[in-house]
Amino acid sequence: MVPWGTFTDVQFAVTRGNLAVHHSSPGVSRGFCRNCGSSLTYAHEQRPGEIDLTLATLDDPEALRPACHIWVCDKLSWVVITDGLPQFETVSGT
């Protein structure tokens, strides 16, 4: 599992290195580290102005607390979410 955070694209900046981008499917761009290949970002043209970031790649991943769980419909059957945060089958609010 990988925790992701969603930000506006104006809130996001690469501060070290260069983001490589792969267009993995129609409308989807995935960013990764050119040096090590770590997955870093996800952007979809159906959500203009937003970018998702893998939180574990932040210098201080503990600095951001989740507000909800999205795409719960895709979780593995043995994953149990018990933190009391709102859960959504797909994107937040649906």
Side-chain angles (χ1 to χ4, degrees), residues 38-50:
S38 292
S39 178
L40 299 172
T41 66
Y42 171 93
H44 197 292
E45 66 183 20
Q46 291 181 349
R47 294 178 19 232
E50 289 185 352

Side-chain angles (χ1 to χ4, degrees), residues 4-68:
W4 293 83
T6 301
F7 303 89
T8 63
D9 54 8
V10 296
Q11 293 174 301
F12 174 75
V14 176
T15 60
R16 284 192 304 246
N18 296 307
L19 185 68
V21 177
H22 173 68
H23 301 284
S24 60
S25 53
V28 174
S29 299
R30 296 176 184 273
F32 61 95
C33 175
R34 288 188 186 278
N35 295 326
C36 71
S38 292
S39 178
L40 299 172
T41 66
Y42 171 93
H44 197 292
E45 66 183 20
Q46 291 181 349
R47 294 178 19 232
E50 289 185 352
I51 190 164
D52 298 333
L53 176 68
T54 54
L55 297 180
T57 62
L58 296 174
D59 289 337
D60 183 8
E62 291 286 338
L64 299 173
R65 307 283 304 165
C68 66

